[in-house]
Structures are given as C-alpha cells and as structure tokens.
C-alpha cells in the first residue's frame, strides 16, 4: 500500500495557537515529500507525508520504539506486545465516529488514510512510569476527523475505544483492566493542532505493537492517554470513563497532563529515563509543550485535576 499526497502543508496547519512564534525549537515548514524506503519489518508499508511540527531532538531508535511497549491487550511486560501483537488482524478495519454530531460515520481505515493529508510529527512521549522516547509519527490532526462528522454544541468531550477481540488480543482474557481500553479528552484538547491520529511511525504503517492501524497521540499527556488500535470515537456531553482511571482513580486522573510537580502516589514524576540514555533527565511541564497547551488549563488546580 503506497499512499501519496501533495506536500501542501502550510503554516496555517500549525498556527492555530500561535505555534509559529517559537519555530526555532522545531523543524516546521514544508520539507518536501517524505517517503521512507521499502523494507523494514514484515507487513510494514511506506507512507507518503509532509513534515509537520516536530522536535529537533534525536528520535529514539526504531528498534526500541517497536520492542519496548505498553499494550496490555497483548500482555503486561514491555516485550509482550512485540511478541504477541502479530496475531492482530488490522484489515478490514473500521472506526465508528458518532455521538454529538450531525454526520456520524463509519470510516474504513484505508479510505481514512487516503482522505487525510499525512504529515510526520516527531514528538516526545512520556510514560507515567517514568521513561520517555522521541517518536517520528506519521498521521493527521484529530481535529480534521472530528470536523468531518460536524460536531454539535453538545460535543464537550471525546471518548475513544480500542478493539475488543480476545481471540487475537489474548491479554483481554485477563482482568488486568476493564476491557475494552478506553480513553477520553476534552473537546478543546481533542481539536488542538498538536493532537494526532497516527497511522505510521518511522515513515511506515504502524507496527501492531504500536497501535495499528490507528492510534491517538497526545504529546503533552502521559502515554496511557494515547490509546491504540481505535475502533470507536464518540462525541459526548459528559466526561467519559477511562481505563486507567477506572482501575486506579487516585493514581491516574482524567487529565494526566505530564507534570513534574505532581508526583504519582507511588513514585516521583520529577525526572525520567529517556530510553537509550544513562542519566535521568528532568521532566518538563506538559512534556515541553506548555507554551502551546497551558492556556487550556488556566485557572485549574492541576493538583486536583491530575
Ligand atoms: N489500547 C491500549 N492503548 C495504550 C496502552 C494499552 O495498554 N492499551 N498503553 C498506553 C501506554 S501506558 C503507553 S506509554 C503508550 C505506549 O505507546 P508505544 O508502545 O507506542 O510507545 O500506549 C498507550 N496506549
Ligand atoms: Mo505509559
């Protein structure tokens, strides 16, 4: 599968909240059509994309990104997803987008990929467990998908669900979480230009262990908000229940913005281990994306709304 798009990303795609003001830290601009080479892992197909809003930090090696994973549907150890997710059948695949909108629709994954302009976004990912990576995603803004179903004024939150299929997702046979895995965002977070639906990484379609065929990426929140292998997205007027909050409400809040000043009840969040590095580094507020997202939380007590 080879997907081509014109490289017509403009600054408008990333300027909604004045993102252009701080370009020095980022590679932005239109850097031509990115097209990764053939090869790589079995089943991976190259994607065509433009370059989007990205950190200039060095990406974590692909081998680490695809072998050190959290995806409890395939087991709770870091190596389990790479070992077990090959069983997951990612075609055919549909995503139902419904709820508080005028034009609910079931999207076929290949049609969805074709209909959206793909861009590469190199983002930091900070897991609540205290490790981090830098990952070159390929995807499109979630706001484009939400716009396509014409949300009504009742759309105050967005709820996401992962596939439920214990025959392939063997971890779903155990009650480590309430399945299916669920996540949620406030509508302003969901339509923020940094919020991505990823369909690839390192220039190719997503490996199953990273959430094929499509997953959410919210770079200023702890990694568990970035739900994998999505089959349903619903617009709603109420804050939706989320898998980790249901499982341990004192430890995992709905917001889960990366915050070095608010510790997890069982460990500090002040520092993190960047996979591949030896010394721990300081964790940044909002994972370093504060100047683009902090406004959304103005006036909120972030100790209370953790
Ligand atoms: N459906 C589902 N999505 C999930 C998870 C999961 O267990 N199931 N784990 C989360 C956690 S804790 C993290 S840190 C990221 C890890 O993404 P990666 O493996 O692609 O780095 O996925 C998140 N999305
Ligand atoms: Mo995580």
């Amino acid at each position: 599968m080879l997907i081509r798009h014109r490289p017509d990303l403009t600054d408008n795609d990333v300027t909604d909240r004045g993102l252009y003001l701080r370009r020095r830290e980022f590679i932005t601009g239109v850097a031509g059509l990115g097209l990764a080479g053939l090869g790589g892992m079995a089943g991976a197909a190259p994607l065509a994309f433009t370059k989007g809003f990205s950190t200039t930090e060095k990406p974590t090696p692909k081998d680490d990104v695809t072998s050190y994973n959290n995806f409890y549907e395939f087991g709770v150890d870091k190596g389990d997803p790479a070992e077990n997710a090959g069983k997951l059948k990612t075609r055919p695949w549909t995503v139902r987008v419904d709820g508080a909108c005028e034009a609910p629709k079931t999207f076929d994954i290949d049609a969805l990929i074709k209909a959206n302009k793909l861009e590469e976004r190199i983002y930091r990912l900070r897991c609540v467990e205290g490790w981090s990576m830098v990952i070159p995603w390929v995807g499109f803004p979630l706001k484009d998908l939400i716009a396509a179903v014409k949300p009504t004024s009742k759309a105050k939150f967005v709820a996401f669900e992962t596939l439920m299929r214990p025959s392939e997702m063997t971890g779903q046979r155990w009650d480590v979480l309430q399945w299916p895995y669920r996540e949620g965002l406030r509508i302003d977070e969901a339509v923020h230009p940094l919020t991505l639906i990823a369909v690839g990484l390192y220039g190719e379609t997503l490996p199953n262990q990273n959430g094929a065929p499509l997953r959410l990426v919210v770079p200023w929140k702890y990694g568990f908000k970035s739900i994998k292998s999505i089959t349903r997205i619903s617009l709603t007027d109420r804050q939706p229940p989320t898998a980790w909050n249901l499982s341990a409400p004192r430890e995992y809040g709905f917001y889960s913005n990366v915050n070095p000043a608010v510790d997890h009840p069982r460990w500090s969040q002040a520092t993190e281990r960047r996979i591949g590095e030896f010394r721990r580094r300081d964790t940044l507020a909002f994972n370093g994306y504060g100047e683009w997202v902090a406004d959304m939380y103005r006036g909120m007590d972030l100790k209370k709304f953790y």
Side-chain angles (χ1 to χ4, degrees):
M1 179 184 42
L2 176 64
I3 302 136
R4 286 195 174 280
H5 290 292
R6 278 181 300 121
D8 55 358
L9 179 76
T10 67
D11 276 350
N12 291 332
D13 289 286
V14 288
T15 51
D16 306 41
R17 285 177 180 269
L19 302 186
Y20 66 97
L21 289 174
R22 300 296 295 269
R23 289 179 59 159
R24 68 180 182 277
E25 280 182 51
F26 295 91
I27 308 162
T28 55
V30 179
L33 190 71
L35 181 58
L38 289 158
M41 47 196 1
L47 293 164
F49 51 83
T50 57
K51 302 280 186 197
F53 180 90
S54 291
T55 174
T56 55
E57 289 174 86
K58 191 177 175 308
T60 302
K62 187 180 176 186
D63 278 354
D64 292 326
V65 174
T66 59
S67 67
Y68 187 91
N69 301 102
N70 275 331
F71 199 167
Y72 277 26
E73 285 85 340
F74 296 102
V76 298
D77 291 332
K78 294 290 180 285
D80 288 343
E83 192 174 318
N84 302 325
K87 285 197 277 289
L88 178 66
K89 280 174 46 196
T90 61
R91 294 295 187 287
W93 191 283
T94 58
V95 192
R96 176 75 185 159
V97 187
D98 63 7
C101 61
E102 287 168 24
K105 192 174 164 176
T106 301
F107 294 87
D108 169 74
I109 182 64
D110 294 310
L112 191 65
I113 290 172
K114 229 172 260 166
N116 284 277
K117 270 177 282 182
L118 301 184
E119 40 180 299
E120 180 171 76
R121 302 262 187 113
I122 307 171
Y123 282 163
R124 291 177 289 275
L125 175 102
R126 168 61 154 83
C127 176
V128 74
E129 296 164 343
W131 54 267
S132 64
M133 298 192 190
V134 175
I135 304 180
W137 303 107
V138 179
F140 57 87
L142 173 63
K143 70 180 165 76
D144 295 350
L145 181 55
I146 291 176
V149 298
K150 302 194 166 74
T152 66
S153 59
K154 288 204 164 122
K156 303 269 196 276
F157 293 90
V158 185
F160 304 83
E161 261 180 41
T162 294
L163 176 71
M164 180 74 188
R165 191 184 287 161
S167 60
E168 294 171 13
M169 295 179 139
T170 45
Q172 288 178 335
R173 296 172 192 175
W174 285 270
D175 291 336
V176 279
L177 289 171
Q178 285 182 44
W179 310 112
Y181 195 101
R182 277 176 278 173
E183 258 309 332
L185 295 172
R186 231 169 45 188
I187 190 73
D188 57 334
E189 298 174 325
V191 302
H192 190 282
L194 288 177
T195 303
L196 202 67
I197 289 289
V199 298
L201 61 78
Y202 270 102
E204 295 184 323
T205 48
L206 278 180
N208 287 359
Q209 60 267 35
N210 295 97
L214 81 166
R215 57 93 57 83
L216 183 67
V217 181
V218 192
W220 70 94
K221 292 179 180 283
Y222 291 120
F224 67 83
K225 298 293 291 182
S226 292
I227 181 172
K228 295 176 169 181
S229 304
I230 297 167
T231 54
R232 184 152 184 213
I233 299 175
S234 299
L235 302 165
T236 160
D237 60 352
R238 279 184 220 168
Q239 182 177 304
T242 62
W244 280 103
N245 183 250
L246 288 169
S247 130
R250 285 188 53 257
E251 302 187 11
Y252 309 105
F254 176 80
Y255 284 93
S256 290
N257 293 312
V258 174
N259 191 343
V262 177
D263 287 339
H264 186 279
R266 292 184 282 131
W267 58 83
S268 163
Q269 293 292 26
T271 64
E272 65 198 57
R273 184 172 70 95
R274 177 69 51 86
I275 298 300
E277 289 181 358
F278 179 67
R279 272 178 54 110
R280 293 182 75 85
R281 51 165 76 206
D282 288 345
T283 285
L284 304 173
F286 298 105
N287 203 20
Y289 297 97
E291 53 199 296
W292 299 282
V293 303
D295 271 2
M296 291 191 289
Y297 310 102
R298 191 169 288 164
M300 282 174 70
D301 178 354
L302 297 179
K303 282 202 162 66
K304 186 170 169 216
F305 297 99
Y306 56 94

